[in-house]
Amino acid sequence: MRRAGRHFLQIPGPTNVPDRILRAIDQPTIDHRGPAFRELALRVLAGLQRIFRTRHPVIVFPASGTGAWEAALVNTLSPGDRVLMYETGHFATLWYEMAKRLGLDPLFLESDWRSGVDPERIEQALRQDRQARIRAVCVVHNETSTGVTSRIPEVRQAIDRVGHPALFMVDTISSLASMPYEHDGWGVDVTVGGSQKGLMLPPGLSFTAVSPRALEAHRQARCARSYFDWSAMLEANARGFFPYTPATNLLFGLDAAIRMLEEEGLERVFARHARHAAATRAAVAAWGLETVCRHPAEHSASLTAVLLPEGFDADALRAHILERFDVSLGNGLGRLAGRAFRIGHLGDFNDPMLMGTLCAVEMGMREFGVPLAASGVVAAMERLSASR
Amino acid sequence: MRRAGRHFLQIPGPTNVPDRILRAIDQPTIDHRGPAFRELALRVLAGLQRIFRTRHPVIVFPASGTGAWEAALVNTLSPGDRVLMYETGHFATLWYEMAKRLGLDPLFLESDWRSGVDPERIEQALRQDRQARIRAVCVVHNETSTGVTSRIPEVRQAIDRVGHPALFMVDTISSLASMPYEHDGWGVDVTVGGSQKGLMLPPGLSFTAVSPRALEAHRQARCARSYFDWSAMLEANARGFFPYTPATNLLFGLDAAIRMLEEEGLERVFARHARHAAATRAAVAAWGLETVCRHPAEHSASLTAVLLPEGFDADALRAHILERFDVSLGNGLGRLAGRAFRIGHLGDFNDPMLMGTLCAVEMGMREFGVPLAASGVVAAMERLSASR
Amino acid sequence: MRRAGRHFLQIPGPTNVPDRILRAIDQPTIDHRGPAFRELALRVLAGLQRIFRTRHPVIVFPASGTGAWEAALVNTLSPGDRVLMYETGHFATLWYEMAKRLGLDPLFLESDWRSGVDPERIEQALRQDRQARIRAVCVVHNETSTGVTSRIPEVRQAIDRVGHPALFMVDTISSLASMPYEHDGWGVDVTVGGSQKGLMLPPGLSFTAVSPRALEAHRQARCARSYFDWSAMLEANARGFFPYTPATNLLFGLDAAIRMLEEEGLERVFARHARHAAATRAAVAAWGLETVCRHPAEHSASLTAVLLPEGFDADALRAHILERFDVSLGNGLGRLAGRAFRIGHLGDFNDPMLMGTLCAVEMGMREFGVPLAASGVVAAMERLSASR
Amino acid sequence: MRRAGRHFLQIPGPTNVPDRILRAIDQPTIDHRGPAFRELALRVLAGLQRIFRTRHPVIVFPASGTGAWEAALVNTLSPGDRVLMYETGHFATLWYEMAKRLGLDPLFLESDWRSGVDPERIEQALRQDRQARIRAVCVVHNETSTGVTSRIPEVRQAIDRVGHPALFMVDTISSLASMPYEHDGWGVDVTVGGSQKGLMLPPGLSFTAVSPRALEAHRQARCARSYFDWSAMLEANARGFFPYTPATNLLFGLDAAIRMLEEEGLERVFARHARHAAATRAAVAAWGLETVCRHPAEHSASLTAVLLPEGFDADALRAHILERFDVSLGNGLGRLAGRAFRIGHLGDFNDPMLMGTLCAVEMGMREFGVPLAASGVVAAMERLSASR
């Protein structure tokens, strides 16, 4: 049976793709070796540099964000290389497992899935690495499974305090173009991104921003690679082309997305995300529930993960909300499965979309019997009205 | 500056056009004299009969709904003919003015813009018309300017009680495919409709459903007409064509719209509209405000017009809500200008869209200083949860 | 069964709508009373003035071109008024019949459907009209049924030689934005246009460009009118709005169309049409066939009507070409039915589209047994190569 | 400056994407972990089995076709493994280079780039491999750089005659859904495909069809892999999901593409491609030019590569044709650079599109001074008329 009205895609990505981007994708595919493509490619590659805040290359793969994880590792490392990773949650864990699968030797700092990277533990681990065996520190900026954001500049400072030569790699899949991020300014060597979150595109593009140090490491790195190899990319990109067929129509969309973000202004985009996140947390607090994120300084601006009281099945609640209100929420992942749900408030989003979402969550929880202290919706409205 | 997120088009039409319909319209135009068009036309004309609930022809003009008003009048009447019309609000008044402009002699039963057609007054007026000079009774089913729905079957009964031969014409522009309506079953001679409300299409198509008695009148009617003439239409339509170039791409959309309405099921569509209207009224009541519609039996299912307390400018409030929340509301029209605003809850709509809208209205009114008794949003959520 | 590949819509309108225009139409409908609409409307109305080459208003109706015919007549004339019309072909005849249906008294100068308006006959007819009973001279610029273009400036000179006060009305439905046309420069009072030809839009919009003299006549004109009335339009348009719901999404498309025409440059657009018409005529000549148009100075740049030799049924040929090659051609209309077919080469068109069309026609005619003197395709290629 | 008319994308892929597929892609992205996605995924995966003609799994990667090459190798082989490859042209060479880069030990049978795989040389090479060191035979079905199609069933027979245990891998990137192909029936172990050719989609999806033997090899294979790993895919696919974010919107398109191919019927699709290829070769012969493909039995149905006479620069000719006629042709690749151009006649294609293309090529060559024996266009029209 047809469902009337617009679906609310409030998972923390893929996000609601704006019509303008969908329509840009919906244009005839062009010759990826012709002059029109060249113009597009050069414009998009330059635009990505502004989004990542870097003067160095950003490489685009026709792949999901997961592909950019792989690209970051295989382009800079050799089999058996030790990398330092940090268990901020499900996605950090997946990246760690990928590193193992790719023949690396990751050291995984365990954590509680409710806090961000602790810069002191990074510092400590690097200090213990007397022979500088660790070749890379890999952390997730915004852990999509928990709604916790790590303080990347402080991690950089921790590395610098030790003077450790490891590369610094950061996954910004669910933070890029939603929260402030500075590839060059924060001293990151490889930044990993994807198309389907703050960039408001469908999934299918992934990015690695690459520092000069990362490129140097690339030249020595012996991990087998071909599809995700940077060299052929950089060489072809310099002329506005790609070494193999790019995902042309998604690049049409990316071109539109960059223009839209810059029309709004990145600072305004970040402020908008922060404001919606604050309103969502006001709702959670009013309901008398807890966010997965423990530390006020680490709340994500792009999603909020909410813990249900003992005895409630978060997946059953999500199914109920989807069925009754046509609102998709993110599930609890890994050790949060069944215990938490995630509200995505990133990408192309505004106040009535947020309120429609929060109303659906509130109605859903009440219908499901979750005891609520007060109306989170009322609290969120107050929070929104208090700011612009 | 770009506005992020989806605009909420909550005027009482044009309504939010579903993607599936926009994409159907977004197909290459075809030869309107070729075999593919013929199939489309015959399918669409048959589908419209199911929507209007008639076994008789429904005629499609490439025109706004206003064109269908004109078609109804000029096809069935002759210059100087008397018609009985009823001042339910702004749109009834516009139709009345059109009748005058077209050289007819309309008798206009005045009213307070807060109630529907009073069948007794119709009966009375017809009884006084001893020589049966009145050739048509023209009423608006759902007055879009007030949110008041008239009881069409009772008007029919009033005409029948007098045994008056006047044609019965009904404007369903903002009720068709949103509220129960029966062209044949309710004994209507000409039903006027448009594309941009319950049919979920962009504006540009208008409809007249035509009874055998209306067709008979048509053969005698001497009002000058050409573009809106029924005869050439009916003749060409019988073969699946049109006498002049039809609005082909909007017909693609109409084809999709009919399919979508039938996938959902018209009964379910009507129930959905009634439920959203009830939730909206619950909000209005909780706010301590009044609807324009006075009589519980006459509340519209497709829109709710809300009166602001004295001293507040409804247009300034609407501008504020548009500016802050990107939600478009309907303005007060005619004598309601500045005093009322209208919330459209018709077409392709669902619970979180309604709640996003009501939250924007509530936030907007609070920010604007309108004193509210309680949260209408909370009341609307309760109402929605109480029903499905 | 699905047909592979792109349909070639080579009727003389509706024309192939470019993707960019279809995608522009495929955007969410907006509030036609809100500020975003206002900007759109003012921009589009100004753009139309540039297309019609006029400093005076151009009025847009949500209607087919046929509606603009009616608007031209009912806004400027009174019942019983005499108008001078000229039988250039099927469409001129339809306009004449409309004039009769609307209660006017048209004088129809008969002709052979193979030539344009003869300015001398116009002059003669006006001279005979001693009491200046003729209120308007109505001619078709480009007769879509025959591919004959009339010399509008010479008709104007003929009127001026007599010093006759009649209004001058011109139908440019299939010439606007395909051939040079000057509403002000050529002294035309009402120019009638439509969206689905040179403007590259789907059908559903019609235009009247209106001179100050036409507006003056409008104030006296007593034909009944409402939907097509200019006064309410002009008043609302001045503020960027419409008196009733406009066809918003088609206006999105019109906005894109004007921009595209101006990006290409109107002079280049006209040269392109002239070149494709010349190549088509080269093909017709090589085939040893005749065009409907007799006089070299009157060949249309937007379509070519071709006469088949005696004994061949043009409609059967068209059906064969449609079935085998998925190319739609225009049929012979009225007295040309079955004897001629029409090739549309207007709108969004280029060399390989023309050649694909001409190849389909040539293959179709050969398969159908039409004796051809030589390959028209080869001749057309030579003609195209000879010019740019 | 804007170019009027539709671009002809006649490179041998990406191909002209039909509107219906572009519009399918142009739908809101959905939750890739929700029930609606699951239905889509299961339907698409089943459809791909019908396209590849296999009862075994087909795996979809969010990647270009190049990614599927990598997937085929890393999922079935271990570092240092010997593979037998065959130099049919540029793409076979690229696959060979990828194998080296991935740490394999490819044996490359050199050839002249004008013929397909010689089954006897495969047989010979396998016979010499006494210790069965060769773990895989990798060939390209349709070499996109030359327009030569290899006889896959005969290669299979060659392997079988030796009774060699090597896996058999075939690249069908430019043949799938354009020419007959039988993954199961022809005894292929891994078939590699992409979205942007016969499947009529934009680039961004790649496929591997996997035999039970390939899966068995997968379990032993030690090449490092993560993104392209089959195991996680197969496990998730079984439930209708993907282990990481899939390219949702391209899957919407794939769903439409499969439906369209089956509406036309794969046999008819193949016949259509064969007919267009024959007409193209008729043109080449009439021009007095040579195809790159030497052997009549090996002509590709999806593209034709044409050799220019000595002294002409094929890239300059292509630039001329693009500039004058807006037709994109494929360039000569690798050792054919500058000497040949390629005409793609695959995907969503029909007779007038082919003829528009051939006319542009003929006009372009004449303008460029290439001596032509006769009109290839005339010859192609005769060939098309002779068959359906």
Side-chain angles (χ1 to χ4, degrees):
Chain A
M1 200 198 78
R2 180 180 110 81
R3 304 208 61 160
R6 174 156 285 267
H7 179 66
F8 278 53
L9 183 68
Q10 301 318 135
I11 57 175
T15 60
N16 297 288
V17 181
D19 287 301
R20 190 168 150 198
I21 290 181
L22 283 174
R23 267 357 71 78
I25 291 170
D26 181 358
Q27 293 291 339
T29 305
I30 59 173
D31 181 3
H32 57 292
R33 292 186 174 118
F37 182 86
R38 187 173 178 273
E39 269 183 53
L40 167 75
L42 293 175
R43 189 169 59 242
V44 154
L45 292 170
L48 282 173
Q49 290 180 306
R50 296 190 301 274
I51 302 294
F52 281 86
R53 309 245 192 186
T54 181
R55 288 169 305 113
H56 304 296
V58 181
I59 291 164
V60 183
F61 294 105
S64 304
T66 301
W69 276 353
E70 180 158 328
L73 300 177
V74 297
N75 275 287
T76 54
L77 301 165
S78 300
D81 272 2
R82 168 143 284 203
V83 294
L84 179 63
M85 303 181 106
Y86 198 105
E87 187 201 16
T88 42
H90 185 66
F91 288 97
T93 305
L94 290 179
W95 200 8
Y96 159 73
E97 281 165 8
M98 175 187 269
K100 285 195 294 185
R101 221 176 292 122
L102 292 172
L104 303 172
D105 175 22
L107 176 66
F108 202 39
L109 300 183
E110 294 188 1
S111 176
D112 65 353
W113 288 40
R114 301 191 63 181
S115 7
V117 174
D118 181 347
E120 286 186 25
R121 291 185 61 196
I122 296 284
E123 182 173 346
Q124 205 172 15
L126 293 177
R127 275 200 204 287
Q128 285 165 5
D129 180 42
R130 301 261 157 71
Q131 289 137 1
R133 278 196 53 221
I134 291 171
R135 308 302 293 255
V137 176
C138 301
V139 301
V140 173
H141 181 210
N142 186 64
E143 174 58 59
T144 319
S145 63
T146 62
V148 177
T149 305
S150 289
R151 290 153 292 153
I152 299 305
E154 297 180 31
V155 177
R156 175 76 257 174
Q157 288 158 19
I159 301 171
D160 290 348
R161 274 195 298 274
V162 188
H164 196 286
L167 292 172
F168 185 27
M169 304 200 194
V170 180
D171 163 353
T172 64
I173 288 177
S174 61
S175 57
L176 189 74
S178 299
M179 298 178 224
Y181 187 80
E182 305 274 343
H183 179 80
D184 287 4
W186 293 358
V188 180
D189 291 303
V190 184
T191 300
V192 167
S195 57
Q196 76 274 22
K197 311 268 176 169
L199 279 170
M200 311 179 291
L201 290 158
L205 293 181
S206 63
F207 313 106
T208 47
V210 174
S211 76
R213 282 194 69 222
L215 273 180
E216 215 179 285
H218 169 69
R219 282 188 281 274
Q220 316 301 327
R222 286 173 294 98
C223 276
R225 59 183 177 259
S226 178
Y227 188 78
F228 289 117
D229 189 70
W230 285 343
S231 304
M233 274 285 172
L234 289 173
E235 198 186 316
N237 282 180
R239 289 170 287 118
F241 296 107
F242 284 81
Y244 48 78
T245 316
T248 311
N249 291 52
L250 291 176
L251 293 177
F252 293 159
L254 178 57
D255 191 29
I258 293 168
R259 192 168 301 135
M260 289 165 78
L261 287 168
E262 297 190 334
E263 280 172 19
E264 187 175 355
L266 278 177
E267 293 310 315
R268 277 198 208 89
V269 170
F270 300 151
R272 168 166 61 78
H273 280 78
R275 182 170 167 271
H276 287 152
T280 304
R281 291 194 301 273
V284 176
W287 289 328
L289 299 176
E290 230 183 307
T291 60
V292 170
C293 179
R294 275 189 207 283
H295 310 293
E298 295 182 333
H299 279 302
S300 167
S302 57
L303 77 134
T304 301
V306 182
L307 285 168
L308 273 191
E310 289 288 322
F312 290 96
D313 175 352
D315 287 336
L317 172 65
R318 287 191 316 111
H320 177 80
I321 290 171
L322 176 60
E323 166 57 26
R324 254 182 90 79
F325 304 112
D326 212 11
V327 174
S328 286
L329 300 170
N331 57 336
L333 287 163
R335 67 171 74 160
L336 292 167
R339 295 173 49 211
F341 63 88
R342 294 172 297 145
I343 302 170
H345 33 68
L346 75 165
D348 189 48
F349 205 57
N350 63 15
D351 290 12
M353 291 169 84
L354 174 65
M355 293 315 306
T357 303
L358 294 178
C359 285
V361 172
E362 181 162 320
M363 287 188 285
M365 289 196 297
R366 278 199 205 283
E367 294 174 7
F368 203 66
V370 179
L372 303 180
S375 170
V377 162
V378 168
M381 288 195 288
E382 274 166 22
R383 186 67 189 73
L384 288 179
S385 279
S387 70
R388 192 67 179 182
Chain B
M1 203 199 78
R2 180 181 109 82
R3 304 209 62 162
R6 175 155 285 268
H7 179 67
F8 277 54
L9 184 68
Q10 301 318 135
I11 57 174
T15 60
N16 297 288
V17 182
D19 287 301
R20 190 168 149 196
I21 289 181
L22 283 176
R23 267 358 70 78
I25 290 170
D26 181 358
Q27 294 290 340
T29 305
I30 59 173
D31 180 2
H32 58 291
R33 291 187 174 118
F37 182 86
R38 187 174 178 272
E39 270 183 54
L40 167 75
L42 293 174
R43 188 169 60 241
V44 154
L45 292 170
L48 282 173
Q49 289 179 307
R50 297 190 300 274
I51 302 293
F52 280 88
R53 310 243 191 188
T54 181
R55 286 168 307 114
H56 303 297
V58 181
I59 290 165
V60 184
F61 294 106
S64 305
T66 300
W69 274 353
E70 180 157 328
L73 300 176
V74 297
N75 275 288
T76 55
L77 300 165
S78 299
D81 271 0
R82 168 143 286 204
V83 294
L84 179 62
M85 302 181 107
Y86 197 105
E87 187 201 16
T88 42
H90 185 66
F91 288 97
T93 305
L94 289 179
W95 200 8
Y96 159 74
E97 282 165 8
M98 174 187 267
K100 285 195 294 183
R101 221 175 291 123
L102 292 172
L104 304 172
D105 175 23
L107 177 64
F108 202 39
L109 299 183
E110 295 188 1
S111 178
D112 66 353
W113 288 41
R114 300 191 63 180
S115 6
V117 174
D118 180 346
E120 286 187 27
R121 292 185 60 195
I122 296 285
E123 181 172 347
Q124 205 170 15
L126 293 177
R127 275 201 204 288
Q128 284 165 4
D129 180 43
R130 299 264 156 69
Q131 288 136 2
R133 280 195 52 220
I134 292 172
R135 309 300 295 254
V137 176
C138 301
V139 300
V140 173
H141 181 210
N142 186 63
E143 174 58 60
T144 318
S145 64
T146 62
V148 177
T149 305
S150 289
R151 291 152 293 154
I152 300 305
E154 296 180 33
V155 178
R156 176 76 259 173
Q157 287 158 19
I159 301 171
D160 289 348
R161 273 196 298 276
V162 189
H164 197 286
L167 293 173
F168 186 26
M169 305 201 193
V170 180
D171 163 354
T172 65
I173 288 176
S174 61
S175 57
L176 189 75
S178 299
M179 299 178 222
Y181 187 80
E182 305 273 343
H183 179 79
D184 287 3
W186 293 356
V188 181
D189 292 303
V190 184
T191 300
V192 168
S195 55
Q196 77 274 22
K197 312 267 176 171
L199 279 170
M200 311 180 292
L201 289 158
L205 293 181
S206 64
F207 313 106
T208 48
V210 175
S211 77
R213 282 195 67 224
L215 272 180
E216 214 179 288
H218 170 68
R219 282 187 280 274
Q220 316 302 326
R222 286 172 294 97
C223 276
R225 59 183 178 260
S226 178
Y227 188 79
F228 290 117
D229 190 70
W230 285 344
S231 304
M233 274 286 172
L234 289 172
E235 197 186 317
N237 283 181
R239 290 169 288 119
F241 295 108
F242 284 81
Y244 49 77
T245 316
T248 310
N249 291 53
L250 291 176
L251 294 176
F252 293 159
L254 178 56
D255 191 30
I258 294 168
R259 191 168 301 135
M260 287 165 79
L261 287 167
E262 297 189 335
E263 280 172 19
E264 187 175 356
L266 278 176
E267 293 310 315
R268 277 197 207 88
V269 170
F270 300 151
R272 168 166 61 80
H273 280 79
R275 182 169 167 272
H276 287 152
T280 304
R281 290 195 300 274
V284 175
W287 288 326
L289 299 176
E290 230 182 304
T291 59
V292 170
C293 178
R294 275 189 207 283
H295 308 293
E298 295 183 334
H299 280 303
S300 167
S302 56
L303 77 134
T304 301
V306 183
L307 286 167
L308 273 191
E310 288 288 322
F312 290 95
D313 175 351
D315 288 335
L317 172 66
R318 287 191 316 109
H320 177 80
I321 290 170
L322 176 60
E323 166 57 26
R324 254 182 88 78
F325 304 112
D326 212 10
V327 174
S328 286
L329 299 170
N331 57 336
L333 288 163
R335 67 170 74 161
L336 292 166
R339 295 173 49 211
F341 63 88
R342 295 171 295 145
I343 302 170
H345 33 69
L346 74 165
D348 189 49
F349 205 57
N350 63 16
D351 289 12
M353 292 169 84
L354 174 65
M355 293 315 306
T357 304
L358 294 178
C359 285
V361 172
E362 181 162 320
M363 287 188 284
M365 289 196 297
R366 278 198 206 282
E367 295 174 7
F368 204 66
V370 179
L372 303 181
S375 170
V377 162
V378 167
M381 287 195 290
E382 274 165 22
R383 186 68 189 73
L384 289 179
S385 278
S387 69
R388 191 65 179 186
Chain C
M1 201 198 80
R2 180 181 110 83
R3 305 207 62 160
R6 174 156 286 266
H7 178 67
F8 277 53
L9 184 68
Q10 301 318 135
I11 56 174
T15 60
N16 297 289
V17 181
D19 287 301
R20 190 168 150 196
I21 289 180
L22 283 175
R23 265 0 69 77
I25 291 170
D26 180 0
Q27 293 291 339
T29 306
I30 59 174
D31 180 5
H32 57 292
R33 291 185 173 119
F37 182 86
R38 187 173 178 273
E39 270 184 53
L40 167 74
L42 294 174
R43 188 168 59 241
V44 153
L45 292 170
L48 282 173
Q49 290 179 306
R50 296 191 302 273
I51 302 294
F52 280 87
R53 309 246 191 185
T54 181
R55 287 168 307 112
H56 303 297
V58 181
I59 290 165
V60 184
F61 293 106
S64 305
T66 301
W69 276 353
E70 180 158 329
L73 300 176
V74 297
N75 275 289
T76 55
L77 301 165
S78 299
D81 272 1
R82 168 143 284 206
V83 294
L84 179 63
M85 302 181 105
Y86 197 105
E87 187 202 15
T88 42
H90 185 66
F91 289 96
T93 305
L94 289 179
W95 200 8
Y96 159 72
E97 281 165 9
M98 174 186 269
K100 285 195 294 184
R101 218 175 294 122
L102 292 172
L104 303 171
D105 176 22
L107 177 65
F108 202 38
L109 300 183
E110 295 188 0
S111 177
D112 66 354
W113 289 41
R114 300 190 64 180
S115 9
V117 175
D118 180 347
E120 286 185 27
R121 292 184 61 197
I122 296 285
E123 182 172 347
Q124 204 172 16
L126 293 177
R127 275 200 204 289
Q128 285 165 6
D129 180 41
R130 302 263 155 69
Q131 289 137 0
R133 276 195 55 220
I134 292 172
R135 308 301 293 255
V137 176
C138 301
V139 300
V140 173
H141 180 211
N142 186 63
E143 175 58 60
T144 319
S145 63
T146 62
V148 177
T149 305
S150 289
R151 290 154 291 153
I152 299 304
E154 296 180 31
V155 178
R156 174 77 259 173
Q157 288 158 18
I159 301 171
D160 290 348
R161 276 195 297 276
V162 188
H164 196 286
L167 293 174
F168 186 27
M169 304 201 194
V170 180
D171 163 354
T172 64
I173 287 177
S174 61
S175 57
L176 189 74
S178 299
M179 298 178 223
Y181 186 80
E182 306 273 344
H183 179 80
D184 287 3
W186 293 357
V188 180
D189 292 304
V190 184
T191 300
V192 168
S195 56
Q196 77 275 21
K197 312 265 176 171
L199 278 170
M200 311 180 291
L201 290 159
L205 293 181
S206 64
F207 313 106
T208 47
V210 175
S211 77
R213 282 194 69 223
L215 272 180
E216 214 179 288
H218 170 68
R219 281 187 281 274
Q220 316 301 327
R222 285 173 295 97
C223 276
R225 61 184 176 259
S226 178
Y227 188 79
F228 289 117
D229 188 69
W230 285 343
S231 304
M233 274 286 173
L234 289 172
E235 197 186 316
N237 282 180
R239 290 170 288 118
F241 296 107
F242 285 80
Y244 48 78
T245 316
T248 311
N249 291 52
L250 292 176
L251 294 176
F252 293 159
L254 178 56
D255 191 29
I258 293 169
R259 192 168 301 135
M260 289 165 78
L261 287 168
E262 298 190 334
E263 280 172 19
E264 187 174 356
L266 278 177
E267 293 311 315
R268 279 199 206 87
V269 170
F270 299 151
R272 169 165 61 80
H273 280 79
R275 181 169 168 272
H276 287 152
T280 303
R281 290 195 300 273
V284 176
W287 289 327
L289 299 177
E290 228 182 309
T291 59
V292 171
C293 178
R294 276 189 206 282
H295 309 293
E298 296 183 333
H299 279 303
S300 168
S302 56
L303 76 135
T304 301
V306 183
L307 285 168
L308 273 191
E310 287 288 321
F312 290 95
D313 175 351
D315 287 336
L317 172 66
R318 287 191 316 109
H320 177 80
I321 290 170
L322 176 60
E323 166 56 27
R324 254 181 88 78
F325 304 111
D326 211 12
V327 174
S328 286
L329 300 170
N331 57 336
L333 288 163
R335 65 170 74 160
L336 292 166
R339 295 174 48 212
F341 63 89
R342 296 172 295 144
I343 301 171
H345 33 68
L346 74 165
D348 189 48
F349 205 56
N350 64 16
D351 290 11
M353 292 169 83
L354 174 64
M355 293 315 306
T357 303
L358 294 178
C359 285
V361 172
E362 181 162 319
M363 288 188 283
M365 289 196 297
R366 280 200 204 282
E367 295 175 6
F368 204 65
V370 178
L372 302 182
S375 170
V377 163
V378 168
M381 288 195 289
E382 275 165 22
R383 186 67 188 74
L384 288 180
S385 278
S387 68
R388 191 69 178 184
Chain D
M1 201 198 80
R2 180 181 110 82
R3 303 207 64 160
R6 173 155 288 267
H7 178 68
F8 277 54
L9 184 68
Q10 300 319 134
I11 57 174
T15 60
N16 297 289
V17 181
D19 287 300
R20 190 168 150 197
I21 289 181
L22 283 176
R23 265 0 68 79
I25 290 170
D26 181 359
Q27 293 291 339
T29 306
I30 59 174
D31 180 3
H32 57 292
R33 291 186 174 118
F37 183 86
R38 187 173 179 272
E39 271 183 53
L40 167 74
L42 293 174
R43 189 169 59 242
V44 154
L45 292 170
L48 282 173
Q49 290 179 307
R50 297 191 300 274
I51 302 294
F52 281 87
R53 310 246 191 185
T54 180
R55 288 169 306 112
H56 304 297
V58 181
I59 291 165
V60 184
F61 294 106
S64 304
T66 301
W69 275 353
E70 180 158 328
L73 301 177
V74 297
N75 275 289
T76 55
L77 300 166
S78 299
D81 272 1
R82 168 144 283 205
V83 294
L84 180 63
M85 302 181 105
Y86 197 106
E87 187 200 17
T88 42
H90 184 67
F91 288 97
T93 305
L94 289 179
W95 200 8
Y96 159 72
E97 281 164 8
M98 175 187 267
K100 285 194 294 183
R101 220 176 292 124
L102 292 172
L104 303 172
D105 175 23
L107 177 65
F108 202 37
L109 300 183
E110 294 187 2
S111 176
D112 67 353
W113 288 42
R114 299 190 64 180
S115 7
V117 174
D118 180 346
E120 286 186 26
R121 291 185 62 196
I122 296 284
E123 182 173 346
Q124 203 170 16
L126 293 177
R127 275 201 202 287
Q128 285 165 4
D129 180 42
R130 301 264 156 69
Q131 289 137 0
R133 278 194 55 220
I134 292 172
R135 308 300 295 254
V137 176
C138 300
V139 300
V140 172
H141 181 210
N142 185 64
E143 175 57 60
T144 318
S145 62
T146 62
V148 177
T149 305
S150 290
R151 291 153 291 153
I152 300 305
E154 297 180 32
V155 178
R156 175 77 257 174
Q157 287 158 19
I159 301 170
D160 290 348
R161 275 196 297 276
V162 188
H164 196 287
L167 293 173
F168 185 28
M169 304 201 194
V170 181
D171 164 354
T172 64
I173 287 176
S174 62
S175 57
L176 189 74
S178 298
M179 299 178 222
Y181 186 80
E182 304 274 344
H183 178 79
D184 287 2
W186 293 357
V188 180
D189 292 303
V190 184
T191 300
V192 168
S195 55
Q196 77 273 22
K197 312 266 176 171
L199 278 170
M200 311 180 291
L201 290 159
L205 293 181
S206 64
F207 312 106
T208 47
V210 175
S211 77
R213 281 194 69 222
L215 273 180
E216 213 179 290
H218 170 68
R219 282 187 281 274
Q220 316 302 326
R222 285 172 295 98
C223 276
R225 60 186 176 258
S226 177
Y227 188 78
F228 289 117
D229 189 69
W230 284 344
S231 304
M233 274 285 172
L234 289 172
E235 197 185 317
N237 283 179
R239 289 169 289 119
F241 295 107
F242 284 81
Y244 48 78
T245 316
T248 311
N249 290 52
L250 291 176
L251 294 176
F252 292 159
L254 178 56
D255 191 29
I258 293 168
R259 192 168 301 134
M260 289 165 77
L261 287 168
E262 297 190 334
E263 280 173 19
E264 187 175 355
L266 277 177
E267 293 310 315
R268 279 199 207 87
V269 170
F270 299 151
R272 168 165 61 79
H273 280 78
R275 181 169 168 273
H276 286 152
T280 303
R281 290 195 301 272
V284 176
W287 288 327
L289 299 177
E290 228 182 307
T291 59
V292 171
C293 178
R294 278 189 206 281
H295 309 294
E298 295 182 334
H299 278 303
S300 167
S302 56
L303 77 134
T304 301
V306 182
L307 285 168
L308 273 191
E310 288 288 321
F312 289 96
D313 174 352
D315 288 334
L317 172 66
R318 287 190 316 110
H320 177 80
I321 290 170
L322 176 60
E323 167 57 25
R324 255 182 86 78
F325 304 112
D326 212 12
V327 174
S328 286
L329 300 171
N331 57 337
L333 288 163
R335 66 170 74 159
L336 293 167
R339 295 173 48 211
F341 64 88
R342 295 172 296 144
I343 301 170
H345 33 69
L346 74 165
D348 189 47
F349 205 57
N350 65 14
D351 289 11
M353 291 169 83
L354 175 64
M355 292 316 306
T357 303
L358 294 178
C359 285
V361 172
E362 181 162 319
M363 288 188 283
M365 288 196 298
R366 280 200 205 282
E367 295 175 7
F368 204 66
V370 179
L372 302 181
S375 170
V377 163
V378 168
M381 286 195 290
E382 274 166 21
R383 185 67 189 74
L384 288 179
S385 278
S387 69
R388 190 67 178 183

